[in-house]
Amino acid sequence: MPENSNLQLLPYPQQVTVSQGQFLIPAKGSIVLAGERNQTALPAARKLQQVTLQAVQLRLSLSVGIRPSTVSAFTFSYNALLAAGAYEIHIDEHGITIAYGSPEGAYYAVGTLKQLLEQYARSIPQLVIRDQPDFAARGLMIDISRNKIPKLETLYRIIDLMSDLKLNQLQLYIEGVPFAYESFPQVWELETPITGEEILLLDAYCRERYIELVPNQNSFGHMEGWLTRPEFNSLAEIPEGFMLPDHMYDSDLYPDGLFMHPGTFDTEDPQVLKLLGTMYDDLLPYFHSQLFNVGCDETYELGLGKSKAKADSAGKGELYLSFLEKIHGLVTERGKTMQFWGDIIIQHPELIPRLPKDIIAMEWGYSAAHPFEADTLKFREAEIPFYVCPGTSSWNSLTGRTDNMLANLRSAAVHGKRNGAIGYLITDWGDFGHWQHLPVSYAGFVYGAALAWNVEGNLEADVAEYLNTSIFHDRSGAIGQLLLDLGNYYTFESGTLRPNDTEMSMLLRSSLDHVHLAEKLTGEQLQQLEHYITGIEAKLEGLALECDDAGLVVEELSNGIHFVKHAVQLTRLKKQMAGATPQIDAALVQELIHDLDLLLHHYRQLWTRRNRLGGLEQSVSKLVRLRGEYVALAAKLSEAEVQG
């Protein structure tokens, strides 16, 4: 922990020195802008006005220039020697001085002062803080493509949280049609996508908080939303779809193999680049950012279909690099700097030095053991700028995977800083229905942001306390640890490594007659898991949240717990079905039908509170299928009883 661990600051600053004594903020003091003609700290000063009003109920006036008649409570002072994003806070008996070298540095200083005011009110300890970020780019990526497209007010809430955490980039991951492409209205006319006009609003909201809204659109693999449509199907590498190779899926979940719809472009069809160019021209004009993340990850079919002969002769890596260079051309023609996911090129390290030098590799990995150290070294040695991109571990988890999340975020930060990453991007995905509710991801947002700002100083950051005090305003002081504990239910499963998944989530997604996974879990493990999760559920009643969405948060956590509890009961049913002579409890089947109806009803209601309606039915489709399988099994059991 930092030397001055009694100060509850997150991200914890690079240097903090506390002295004896306090400074009492005067009731009629002013916020003074001094020492800079252009007043670039004015947005930060106005933010500080809001903070002092909210935290200590003081209405402080703004004053430009130092005058003997002005009582200065806070003074912003420009210092050209400070780096962009850096700031210093000096608090002594005379007042509070904020030195800054850039507007965002002044704004970040206010974020630190906000926490001091919330902790100490008007009487703040005398201290000196010298601070600047370890990573220049500190971002968050939200998946808006897997069914769940947030409402604008939900995105504003996330942006406000990012601002408090000193994050400075936001990406909204796009595949399929969560964006309303004006050239292709037919692809989204039955959906509820984000429009260009809404992007303008989000972009402005971000810029007011020194956050860059970076366009993100997958452009090579993960194109199922387009390539499954008749008018674009011919552009696919394998238009009819394919079976995923055995080593790329979990046979416990897919004992019959995994069929994949066409999702990767035919790299040799000139119409592909034409389509991408039109998509870019529909999307990019709504963003101020000069960056553009084009994805290009998980190109599963590349070299297996139309391009097989070429891949066999030239190599799959050459095929990938060639198309990546073509996309790079489209991006540079539009005046943008290209970001791309690095998972494919890292499999061909000999090709990394041939990447364009103005490209940015996004090194992603979501397990505790992901080789960030080795992978980032390859980009560093090739002089290719790169980000590290860990994840919140929320997806496919129902309520999170806390231990994995903490280790994954930590490893990315440590090795990213050591090997010269220029950015740190926290990713929050929504695979297979996006079943996790937003609060499940907050712990990952908080810990990742703390590490992105100051790696060494935040390795042991008190995430639970920040969740308690700064997000949920919980008078009971319990929700932070409750969320972290809730995300560790997976440690009571079979112990088999399930990358980016939990077994309870997998069981809910699998067909009822696929019992292999259930057989891996013992009755004792299920009992321990159920005891653990119901113990957490009992603590919900003791929470005393004062955030503006308090009731919704508790309902969301209750629903997430309901998912896990239903999965436990489903596992028990599957274990009954797995015997050589199955002994199935008909009453249990009826209970599961009723319980799933309640779960679905509540989930649908909660979905519309934060998210757009489009995508909801697709999100619940596997659960609806499961209900149908329950009903069919109940009918079969009833018929057997009559015949017997």
Side-chain angles (χ1 to χ4, degrees):
M1 289 294 290
E3 185 177 324
N4 302 290
S5 57
N6 58 311
L7 289 177
Q8 298 297 326
L9 298 176
L10 192 148
Y12 201 84
Q14 300 284 352
Q15 295 181 32
V16 180
T17 304
V18 179
S19 306
Q20 295 295 319
Q22 290 81 34
F23 170 68
L24 180 65
I25 302 172
K28 296 187 181 298
S30 295
I31 299 171
V32 177
L33 295 176
E36 188 201 1
R37 184 177 302 171
N38 295 328
Q39 302 173 19
T40 59
L42 186 57
R46 287 180 171 148
K47 174 70 173 177
L48 184 57
Q49 273 188 309
Q50 298 172 5
V51 167
T52 53
L53 180 59
Q54 293 168 357
V56 293
Q57 290 74 55
L58 288 182
R59 295 182 181 273
L60 302 183
S61 61
L62 288 180
S63 180
V64 178
I66 298 176
R67 298 173 183 82
S69 59
T70 301
V71 178
S72 174
F74 300 88
T75 301
F76 285 88
S77 178
Y78 176 67
N79 183 343
L81 298 178
L82 290 177
Y87 68 90
E88 295 181 356
I89 297 174
H90 295 257
I91 303 177
D92 58 25
E93 68 273 17
H94 303 296
I96 300 172
T97 301
I98 303 105
Y100 63 96
S102 63
E104 60 267 35
Y107 194 83
Y108 299 146
V110 173
T112 300
L113 288 168
K114 177 182 178 182
Q115 293 184 68
L116 290 171
L117 288 165
E118 290 173 343
Q119 187 174 349
Y120 295 102
R122 288 176 58 191
S123 186
I124 301 181
Q126 295 184 29
L127 52 76
V128 176
I129 293 176
R130 293 183 173 88
D131 204 11
Q132 66 182 54
D134 279 345
F135 294 91
R138 303 171 305 283
L140 173 64
M141 190 220 73
I142 302 291
D143 186 351
I144 65 169
S145 297
R146 270 62 173 245
N147 310 146
K148 188 177 286 184
I149 305 176
K151 294 178 178 179
L152 274 183
E153 52 264 38
T154 303
L155 292 170
Y156 290 151
R157 178 183 295 277
I158 292 170
I159 293 165
D160 287 339
L161 174 57
M162 293 176 63
S163 175
D164 285 343
L165 291 169
K166 299 183 175 70
L167 293 171
N168 65 354
Q169 281 188 12
L170 172 63
Q171 299 191 16
L172 303 177
Y173 172 75
I174 294 176
E175 68 173 67
V177 287
F179 175 74
Y181 298 91
E182 292 169 69
S183 298
F184 306 100
Q186 77 278 12
V187 303
W188 52 265
E189 60 185 349
L190 299 178
E191 305 296 334
T192 53
I194 291 178
T195 66
E197 185 175 359
E198 289 175 315
I199 292 292
L200 292 175
L201 294 172
L202 287 169
D203 192 81
Y205 198 83
C206 283
R207 284 187 290 121
E208 289 172 0
R209 290 153 181 79
Y210 298 97
I211 295 171
E212 182 179 2
L213 184 62
V214 177
N216 179 316
Q217 179 189 288
N218 226 326
S219 306
F220 196 170
H222 284 289
M223 296 302 296
E224 291 88 350
W226 295 79
L227 295 177
T228 53
R229 295 182 64 89
E231 64 268 42
F232 303 114
N233 182 248
S234 64
L235 303 181
E237 169 77 4
I238 307 178
E240 65 276 15
F242 69 108
M243 296 299 293
L244 198 65
D246 292 349
H247 68 281
M248 300 182 73
Y249 64 87
D250 192 320
S251 59
D252 287 334
L253 181 59
Y254 303 107
D256 303 321
L258 179 56
F259 174 78
M260 300 286 285
H261 293 288
T264 298
F265 277 132
D266 172 8
T267 59
E268 303 306 304
D269 191 328
Q271 292 302 310
V272 169
L273 292 178
K274 184 178 179 181
L275 172 61
L276 283 174
T278 305
M279 293 167 70
Y280 294 174
D281 290 339
D282 280 358
L283 178 70
L284 295 179
Y286 293 101
F287 295 81
H288 276 82
S289 175
Q290 293 304 299
L291 300 172
F292 180 25
N293 187 341
V294 299
C296 301
D297 62 316
E298 297 183 328
T299 50
Y300 297 125
E301 307 102 295
L302 184 64
L304 301 179
K306 296 176 183 177
S307 65
K308 187 177 188 309
K310 190 167 185 178
D312 289 345
S313 60
K316 190 181 295 187
E318 290 285 352
L319 212 60
Y320 180 85
L321 178 60
S322 174
F323 192 66
L324 196 71
E325 289 171 335
K326 293 175 184 177
I327 295 175
H328 178 259
L330 293 177
V331 174
T332 55
E333 285 170 10
R334 288 157 178 80
K336 304 292 184 182
T337 296
M338 176 172 148
Q339 298 177 335
F340 78 106
W341 301 121
D343 59 310
I344 304 299
I345 202 70
I346 205 73
Q347 298 172 28
H348 307 277
E350 73 283 359
L351 301 180
I352 294 176
R354 290 169 49 190
L355 288 168
K357 297 304 181 185
D358 62 346
I359 206 170
I360 300 173
M362 310 295 276
E363 166 59 23
W364 65 266
Y366 308 130
S367 71
H370 181 77
F372 280 113
E373 182 175 21
D375 286 359
T376 55
L377 193 59
K378 292 181 175 67
F379 290 117
R380 176 183 177 177
E381 290 173 345
E383 299 182 341
I384 300 298
F386 65 92
Y387 287 26
V388 283
C389 307
T392 62
S393 301
S394 64
W395 61 99
N396 300 341
S397 72
L398 308 177
T399 60
R401 293 187 299 138
T402 298
D403 285 353
N404 184 81
M405 174 269 290
L406 295 172
N408 178 237
L409 291 168
R410 186 185 303 119
S411 174
V414 169
H415 297 300
K417 181 183 178 183
R418 185 175 298 160
N419 284 339
I422 64 170
Y424 184 100
L425 183 70
I426 307 159
T427 61
D428 192 55
W429 298 96
D431 302 50
F432 299 111
H434 213 142
W435 288 345
Q436 78 275 18
H437 294 290
L438 179 60
V440 169
S441 300
Y442 282 163
F445 295 175
V446 170
Y447 189 53
L451 292 169
W453 183 268
N454 171 12
V455 179
E456 284 80 7
N458 289 282
L459 291 173
E460 303 299 327
D462 194 342
V463 174
E465 181 63 18
Y466 189 88
L467 292 168
N468 289 335
T469 59
S470 296
I471 296 182
F472 299 111
H473 308 290
D474 182 12
R475 286 184 287 107
S476 77
I479 191 172
Q481 191 59 49
L482 185 150
L483 269 170
L484 294 174
D485 291 343
L486 187 56
N488 269 336
Y489 82 81
Y490 79 105
T491 62
F492 290 87
E493 295 179 334
S494 74
T496 305
L497 180 63
R498 308 288 182 185
N500 297 325
D501 231 325
T502 67
E503 289 172 338
M504 293 301 104
S505 176
M506 296 166 71
L507 282 154
L508 288 169
R509 297 179 345 242
S510 64
S511 296
L512 185 59
D513 59 355
H514 289 170
V515 297
H516 304 74
L517 188 55
E519 291 178 292
K520 300 288 179 71
L521 290 144
T522 67
E524 183 180 1
Q525 286 171 328
L526 291 175
Q527 188 173 3
Q528 290 176 342
L529 196 164
E530 189 172 47
H531 177 75
Y532 181 79
I533 205 74
T534 53
I536 293 174
E537 184 178 35
K539 296 177 182 178
L540 291 179
E541 292 184 5
L543 301 178
L545 312 187
E546 294 182 346
C547 51
D548 61 3
D549 59 347
L552 175 57
V553 169
V554 174
E555 287 186 69
E556 288 171 326
L557 298 184
S558 177
N559 188 244
I561 290 169
H562 194 170
F563 267 91
V564 179
K565 290 172 66 178
H566 188 88
V568 171
Q569 291 295 84
L570 167 60
T571 308
R572 290 190 170 117
L573 173 62
K574 287 197 173 198
K575 288 178 73 66
Q576 292 177 5
M577 297 170 63
T581 56
Q583 300 293 322
I584 301 173
D585 183 350
L588 175 59
V589 179
Q590 292 298 333
E591 288 172 14
L592 283 166
I593 293 172
H594 177 66
D595 190 63
L596 186 52
D597 283 343
L598 292 175
L599 190 155
L600 281 167
H601 177 69
H602 195 199
Y603 180 75
R604 285 188 168 106
Q605 288 182 321
L606 291 173
W607 178 285
T608 58
R609 302 278 293 278
R610 296 196 195 272
N611 310 292
R612 300 160 196 245
L613 191 59
L616 173 55
E617 291 312 308
Q618 188 176 356
S619 173
V620 300
S621 60
K622 287 184 171 58
L623 297 174
V624 171
R625 182 199 67 195
L626 177 62
R627 187 191 187 280
E629 291 173 330
Y630 285 157
V631 171
L633 178 59
K636 182 178 178 181
L637 293 173
S638 178
E639 181 181 349
E641 184 178 352
V642 170
Q643 292 176 352

